């Protein structure tokens, strides 16, 4: 019988002709598969899949090592730390401005009378008055003082010694104590205290942002780690599939040599092996990409070679929806930041309203002078009240600024409501995701057991001639798919639990 062009003939057994086994040739149309299969056979013999047997990286890194390495290297965390330091510096400045500052002065003044004008003798009373007024008398004047001042309080101590012009024996000394205190400026505790409160809220918001950035870095590292771990386990499954396919091919080739299998059986085994090798190559490439992504997240060189350690599957979190929502409302950085923004905006509104209030302060001084020549002394004092009125006409500027500050508070509260609704949706969806991933993980385990049982049964039937090689290989392919699905389900469950903790702000 001549072979038709473009056809492959394999030897098969015809057990339906005359009740016996008779060798014959049947044409199989493999015009499309022939070039592919020839290329596969060539690649297999020439080592075209060398990377399928490449040795895995020797270094094993753990999740804790990755997290620890990411903290000092994460760019986002560095920026958040800079913002936190800047906010801390602003708070320190505001606190310093609200405190008391001590300063000192020293002066030497020569004072005289213009020609043609009269001058009065220096007395203890005039010296005391001059010291209180921070002026001198005719002659040589040496003055020094200390000042203790704050945003609402001021205390001063001044000492002065004068030598009268033209007479070294006429000397007068004086000392003066003065003070002022703002008793009302429209803001409880004073406007400076309000500025400190604003700076404190800004610093606390920066601290929340820093903590949230740190949690985000850890979350991204864990997410990349679990993704790599799942794909890394998939490579192990694919490697086992290649080894099993090679063993099956060797068995088929031995059976063919013993005339217990056909060339078609060998070809089917070869196709299964090639498919397994291609799947392994794809899985290995995925691991390479995942490793580079994890290295980039951690801050390692992307060329670093390593494998990640296995991670136990955590138990399903025993959280009720209301408990999870309460935890999220308490810990989510978005809500905490908005709460601090509302508090700071309330302070800003109160400060803005205080700009329309009068500022009331009291002041006074006491001065003592001693005339050393006459051996007499005298003293003076002052006391008063100051009232600074706000602008009487400002074109509506004050009212507009107050309205703007009030609108900012309203805006923050609207954002709070929207954020709470968004968090509610995220938590509810994350809880469902965990339950669904847990159920699918359990189902994947059952699928593996079922596929393993079918594969073992098909091999046993094939050994006694009740099933074909194709049936065995089909069952083998189903088993591999189930095992890969098991690893993917485990990875999905880990990521689902991680996502739940993330949306809860933990």
């Amino acid at each position: 019988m001549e072979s038709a062009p473009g056809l492959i003939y394999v030897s098969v057994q015809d057990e339906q002709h005359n009740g016996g086994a008779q060798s014959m040739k049947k044409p199989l149309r493999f015009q499309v598969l022939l070039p592919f299969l020839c290329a596969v056979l060539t690649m297999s013999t020439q080592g075209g899949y060398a990377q399928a047997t490449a040795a895995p990286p020797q270094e094993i890194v753990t999740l804790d090592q990755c997290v620890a390495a990411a903290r000092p290297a994460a760019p986002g965390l560095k920026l958040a730390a800079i913002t936190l330091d800047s906010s801390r510096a602003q708070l320190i400045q505001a606190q310093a401005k609200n405190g008391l500052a001590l300063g000192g002065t020293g002066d030497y003044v020569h004072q005289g009378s213009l020609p043609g004008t009269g001058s009065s003798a220096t007395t203890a009373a005039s010296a005391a008055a001059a010291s209180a007024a921070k002026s001198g008398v005719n002659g040589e004047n040496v003055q020094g003082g200390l000042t203790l001042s704050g945003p609402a309080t001021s205390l001063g101590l001044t000492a002065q010694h004068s030598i009268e012009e033209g007479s070294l024996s006429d000397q007068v000394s004086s000392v003066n104590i003065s003070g002022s205190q703002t008793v009302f400026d429209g803001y409880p505790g004073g406007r400076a205290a309000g500025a400190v409160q604003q700076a404190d809220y800004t610093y606390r918001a920066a601290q929340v942002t820093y903590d949230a950035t740190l949690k985000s870095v850890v979350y991204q590292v864990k997410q990349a780690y679990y993704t790599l771990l799942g794909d890394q386990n998939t490579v192990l499954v694919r490697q086992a599939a290649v080894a099993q396919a090679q063993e099956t091919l060797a068995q088929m080739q031995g059976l063919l040599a013993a005339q217990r299998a056909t060339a078609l059986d060998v070809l089917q085994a070869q196709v299964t092996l090639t498919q397994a090798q291609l799947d392994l190559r794809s899985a290995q490439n995925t691991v390479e990409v995942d490793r580079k992504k994890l290295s980039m997240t951690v801050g390692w060189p992307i060329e670093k070679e390593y494998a990640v350690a296995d991670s136990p599957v955590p138990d399903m979190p025993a959280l009720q929806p209301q408990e999870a929502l309460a935890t999220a409302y308490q810990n989510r950085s978005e809500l905490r930041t908005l709460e601090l923004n509302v508090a700071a905006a309330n302070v800003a509104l109160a400060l803005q309203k205080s700009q329309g209030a009068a500022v009331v302060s009291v002041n006074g001084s006491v001065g003592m002078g001693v005339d050393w020549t006459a051996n007499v002394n005298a003293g003076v004092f002052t006391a008063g009240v100051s009232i600074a009125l706000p602008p009487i006409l400002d074109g509506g500027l004050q009212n507009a600024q107050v309205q703007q500050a009030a609108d900012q508070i309203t805006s923050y509260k609207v954002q709070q409501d929207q954020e709470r609704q968004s968090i509610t949706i995220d938590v509810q969806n994350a809880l469902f995701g965990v339950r669904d991933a847990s159920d699918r993980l359990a189902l994947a385990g059952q699928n593996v057991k079922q596929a393993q049982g079918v594969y073992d049964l098909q091999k046993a039937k094939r050994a006694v001639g009740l099933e074909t090689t194709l049936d065995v290989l089909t069952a083998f392919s189903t088993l591999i798919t189930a095992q890969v699905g098991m690893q993917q389900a485990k990875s999905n469950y880990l990521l689902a639990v991680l996502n739940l903790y993330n949306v809860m702000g933990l």
Side-chain angles (χ1 to χ4, degrees), residues 376-411:
V376 295
N377 58 71
V380 296
F381 74 91
T382 63
V385 177
S386 299
I387 300 177
L389 298 176
I392 299 175
L393 294 175
D394 63 357
L397 175 63
Q398 171 66 9
N399 290 336
Q401 290 175 333
V402 170
Q403 184 61 48
Q404 183 180 16
D407 290 341
Q408 185 63 65
I409 297 175
T410 304
S411 174

Short mmCIF file of all heavy atoms in Angstrom, two decimals, residues 376-411:
data_model
loop_
_atom_site.label_atom_id
_atom_site.label_comp_id
_atom_site.label_asym_id
_atom_site.label_seq_id
_atom_site.Cartn_x
_atom_site.Cartn_y
_atom_site.Cartn_z
N VAL A 376 19.44 111.12 99.03
CA VAL A 376 17.98 111.05 99.03
C VAL A 376 17.55 110.07 97.95
O VAL A 376 18.30 109.79 97.00
CB VAL A 376 17.32 112.43 98.81
CG1 VAL A 376 17.64 113.37 99.95
CG2 VAL A 376 17.76 113.01 97.46
N ASN A 377 16.32 109.56 98.06
CA ASN A 377 15.79 108.65 97.05
C ASN A 377 14.34 109.00 96.79
O ASN A 377 13.67 109.64 97.62
CB ASN A 377 15.93 107.19 97.46
CG ASN A 377 15.23 106.91 98.77
OD1 ASN A 377 14.01 106.89 98.84
ND2 ASN A 377 16.03 106.68 99.83
N ALA A 378 13.85 108.59 95.66
CA ALA A 378 12.46 108.85 95.26
C ALA A 378 12.01 107.75 94.31
O ALA A 378 12.83 107.03 93.71
CB ALA A 378 12.34 110.21 94.59
N GLY A 379 10.71 107.58 94.16
CA GLY A 379 10.17 106.54 93.27
C GLY A 379 8.95 107.02 92.52
O GLY A 379 8.22 107.92 92.97
N VAL A 380 8.71 106.42 91.37
CA VAL A 380 7.53 106.73 90.56
C VAL A 380 6.93 105.40 90.09
O VAL A 380 7.59 104.36 90.07
CB VAL A 380 7.90 107.61 89.33
CG1 VAL A 380 8.41 108.96 89.76
CG2 VAL A 380 8.93 106.90 88.45
N PHE A 381 5.68 105.44 89.71
CA PHE A 381 5.03 104.25 89.15
C PHE A 381 4.05 104.69 88.07
O PHE A 381 3.60 105.84 88.03
CB PHE A 381 4.32 103.46 90.25
CG PHE A 381 3.04 104.10 90.73
CD1 PHE A 381 1.82 103.79 90.14
CD2 PHE A 381 3.07 105.03 91.76
CE1 PHE A 381 0.66 104.40 90.58
CE2 PHE A 381 1.90 105.64 92.20
CZ PHE A 381 0.69 105.32 91.61
N THR A 382 3.75 103.74 87.21
CA THR A 382 2.73 103.96 86.18
C THR A 382 1.83 102.73 86.14
O THR A 382 2.23 101.61 86.47
CB THR A 382 3.36 104.16 84.78
OG1 THR A 382 4.05 102.96 84.41
CG2 THR A 382 4.32 105.34 84.78
N ALA A 383 0.59 102.91 85.74
CA ALA A 383 -0.37 101.82 85.57
C ALA A 383 -1.38 102.24 84.52
O ALA A 383 -1.77 103.41 84.46
CB ALA A 383 -1.07 101.50 86.89
N GLY A 384 -1.75 101.27 83.67
CA GLY A 384 -2.69 101.63 82.60
C GLY A 384 -3.32 100.42 81.94
O GLY A 384 -2.95 99.27 82.20
N VAL A 385 -4.28 100.69 81.12
CA VAL A 385 -4.99 99.68 80.35
C VAL A 385 -4.95 100.09 78.89
O VAL A 385 -5.21 101.26 78.56
CB VAL A 385 -6.45 99.52 80.83
CG1 VAL A 385 -7.18 98.51 79.94
CG2 VAL A 385 -6.51 99.09 82.28
N SER A 386 -4.68 99.12 77.99
CA SER A 386 -4.66 99.39 76.55
C SER A 386 -5.72 98.56 75.86
O SER A 386 -5.89 97.37 76.17
CB SER A 386 -3.28 99.07 75.94
OG SER A 386 -2.28 99.86 76.52
N ILE A 387 -6.43 99.16 74.93
CA ILE A 387 -7.45 98.46 74.15
C ILE A 387 -7.17 98.73 72.67
O ILE A 387 -7.16 99.89 72.23
CB ILE A 387 -8.87 98.94 74.51
CG1 ILE A 387 -9.15 98.69 75.99
CG2 ILE A 387 -9.90 98.23 73.64
CD1 ILE A 387 -10.51 99.20 76.45
N ALA A 388 -6.91 97.64 71.95
CA ALA A 388 -6.69 97.74 70.50
C ALA A 388 -7.94 97.25 69.79
O ALA A 388 -8.32 96.08 69.92
CB ALA A 388 -5.47 96.92 70.09
N LEU A 389 -8.58 98.13 69.07
CA LEU A 389 -9.83 97.80 68.40
C LEU A 389 -9.55 97.15 67.04
O LEU A 389 -8.56 97.48 66.38
CB LEU A 389 -10.68 99.05 68.21
CG LEU A 389 -11.13 99.76 69.49
CD1 LEU A 389 -11.89 101.04 69.15
CD2 LEU A 389 -11.98 98.84 70.35
N PRO A 390 -10.42 96.24 66.62
CA PRO A 390 -10.28 95.66 65.26
C PRO A 390 -10.65 96.71 64.21
O PRO A 390 -11.21 97.77 64.55
CB PRO A 390 -11.28 94.51 65.27
CG PRO A 390 -12.33 94.94 66.24
CD PRO A 390 -11.61 95.71 67.31
N PRO A 391 -10.34 96.43 62.95
CA PRO A 391 -10.71 97.39 61.90
C PRO A 391 -12.22 97.66 61.91
O PRO A 391 -13.03 96.74 61.98
CB PRO A 391 -10.28 96.69 60.61
CG PRO A 391 -9.21 95.74 61.03
CD PRO A 391 -9.60 95.27 62.40
N ILE A 392 -12.57 98.93 61.87
CA ILE A 392 -13.98 99.30 61.87
C ILE A 392 -14.60 99.05 60.50
O ILE A 392 -15.73 98.56 60.38
CB ILE A 392 -14.14 100.77 62.29
CG1 ILE A 392 -13.58 100.96 63.72
CG2 ILE A 392 -15.60 101.20 62.24
CD1 ILE A 392 -13.58 102.40 64.19
N LEU A 393 -13.86 99.35 59.44
CA LEU A 393 -14.30 99.09 58.07
C LEU A 393 -13.21 98.28 57.37
O LEU A 393 -12.05 98.69 57.35
CB LEU A 393 -14.55 100.41 57.33
CG LEU A 393 -15.70 101.28 57.84
CD1 LEU A 393 -15.73 102.61 57.06
CD2 LEU A 393 -17.03 100.56 57.70
N ASP A 394 -13.59 97.13 56.83
CA ASP A 394 -12.62 96.32 56.10
C ASP A 394 -13.17 95.77 54.79
O ASP A 394 -12.60 94.85 54.20
CB ASP A 394 -12.12 95.16 56.97
CG ASP A 394 -13.23 94.19 57.35
OD1 ASP A 394 -14.39 94.44 56.98
OD2 ASP A 394 -12.94 93.18 58.02
N GLY A 395 -14.31 96.29 54.36
CA GLY A 395 -14.88 95.84 53.09
C GLY A 395 -15.43 94.42 53.12
O GLY A 395 -15.57 93.79 52.07
N GLY A 396 -15.72 93.89 54.31
CA GLY A 396 -16.23 92.52 54.42
C GLY A 396 -15.16 91.45 54.43
O GLY A 396 -15.47 90.26 54.32
N LEU A 397 -13.89 91.87 54.59
CA LEU A 397 -12.78 90.91 54.55
C LEU A 397 -12.88 89.90 55.69
O LEU A 397 -12.74 88.69 55.49
CB LEU A 397 -11.45 91.66 54.61
CG LEU A 397 -10.19 90.79 54.71
CD1 LEU A 397 -10.05 89.92 53.47
CD2 LEU A 397 -8.95 91.65 54.91
N GLN A 398 -13.12 90.38 56.91
CA GLN A 398 -13.17 89.49 58.06
C GLN A 398 -14.28 88.45 57.92
O GLN A 398 -14.06 87.26 58.16
CB GLN A 398 -13.36 90.32 59.34
CG GLN A 398 -13.64 89.52 60.60
CD GLN A 398 -12.47 88.65 61.03
OE1 GLN A 398 -11.37 88.76 60.47
NE2 GLN A 398 -12.71 87.77 61.98
N ASN A 399 -15.46 88.89 57.53
CA ASN A 399 -16.57 87.95 57.38
C ASN A 399 -16.28 86.90 56.31
O ASN A 399 -16.63 85.72 56.47
CB ASN A 399 -17.86 88.70 57.04
CG ASN A 399 -18.36 89.53 58.21
OD1 ASN A 399 -18.07 89.24 59.36
ND2 ASN A 399 -19.12 90.59 57.91
N ALA A 400 -15.65 87.32 55.22
CA ALA A 400 -15.32 86.37 54.15
C ALA A 400 -14.30 85.35 54.62
O ALA A 400 -14.39 84.15 54.29
CB ALA A 400 -14.79 87.13 52.93
N GLN A 401 -13.32 85.79 55.41
CA GLN A 401 -12.31 84.86 55.91
C GLN A 401 -12.92 83.87 56.91
O GLN A 401 -12.55 82.68 56.92
CB GLN A 401 -11.17 85.64 56.56
CG GLN A 401 -10.33 86.42 55.55
CD GLN A 401 -9.28 87.29 56.21
OE1 GLN A 401 -9.44 87.72 57.35
NE2 GLN A 401 -8.21 87.57 55.49
N VAL A 402 -13.84 84.34 57.74
CA VAL A 402 -14.52 83.44 58.66
C VAL A 402 -15.35 82.41 57.91
O VAL A 402 -15.36 81.22 58.24
CB VAL A 402 -15.41 84.25 59.64
CG1 VAL A 402 -16.32 83.32 60.44
CG2 VAL A 402 -14.54 85.08 60.58
N GLN A 403 -16.05 82.85 56.87
CA GLN A 403 -16.87 81.93 56.08
C GLN A 403 -16.01 80.90 55.38
O GLN A 403 -16.36 79.71 55.31
CB GLN A 403 -17.68 82.72 55.04
CG GLN A 403 -18.64 81.87 54.23
CD GLN A 403 -19.68 81.18 55.08
OE1 GLN A 403 -20.30 81.82 55.92
NE2 GLN A 403 -19.88 79.88 54.88
N GLN A 404 -14.86 81.31 54.89
CA GLN A 404 -13.95 80.38 54.23
C GLN A 404 -13.46 79.31 55.21
O GLN A 404 -13.40 78.12 54.87
CB GLN A 404 -12.76 81.13 53.63
CG GLN A 404 -11.79 80.23 52.86
CD GLN A 404 -10.61 81.01 52.29
OE1 GLN A 404 -10.35 82.14 52.70
NE2 GLN A 404 -9.93 80.42 51.34
N ALA A 405 -13.12 79.72 56.44
CA ALA A 405 -12.67 78.76 57.44
C ALA A 405 -13.80 77.79 57.82
O ALA A 405 -13.56 76.59 58.02
CB ALA A 405 -12.17 79.49 58.68
N ALA A 406 -15.04 78.29 57.91
CA ALA A 406 -16.17 77.43 58.23
C ALA A 406 -16.45 76.44 57.10
O ALA A 406 -16.77 75.27 57.34
CB ALA A 406 -17.41 78.28 58.51
N ASP A 407 -16.31 76.89 55.85
CA ASP A 407 -16.53 76.00 54.71
C ASP A 407 -15.49 74.88 54.68
O ASP A 407 -15.79 73.77 54.24
CB ASP A 407 -16.47 76.80 53.40
CG ASP A 407 -17.67 77.72 53.23
OD1 ASP A 407 -18.69 77.49 53.92
OD2 ASP A 407 -17.59 78.66 52.43
N GLN A 408 -14.29 75.18 55.13
CA GLN A 408 -13.25 74.14 55.15
C GLN A 408 -13.64 73.01 56.11
O GLN A 408 -13.43 71.84 55.81
CB GLN A 408 -11.92 74.75 55.57
CG GLN A 408 -10.74 73.78 55.52
CD GLN A 408 -10.47 73.29 54.12
OE1 GLN A 408 -10.09 74.06 53.24
NE2 GLN A 408 -10.66 72.01 53.89
N ILE A 409 -14.22 73.38 57.24
CA ILE A 409 -14.67 72.36 58.19
C ILE A 409 -15.77 71.50 57.57
O ILE A 409 -15.76 70.27 57.67
CB ILE A 409 -15.18 73.02 59.49
CG1 ILE A 409 -14.04 73.76 60.18
CG2 ILE A 409 -15.78 71.98 60.43
CD1 ILE A 409 -14.47 74.54 61.40
N THR A 410 -16.72 72.15 56.91
CA THR A 410 -17.81 71.42 56.25
C THR A 410 -17.27 70.47 55.19
O THR A 410 -17.72 69.33 55.06
CB THR A 410 -18.80 72.40 55.62
OG1 THR A 410 -19.29 73.30 56.61
CG2 THR A 410 -19.98 71.66 55.00
N SER A 411 -16.26 70.93 54.44
CA SER A 411 -15.66 70.10 53.41
C SER A 411 -15.02 68.85 54.00
O SER A 411 -15.18 67.74 53.49
CB SER A 411 -14.62 70.91 52.63
OG SER A 411 -13.93 70.09 51.70
#
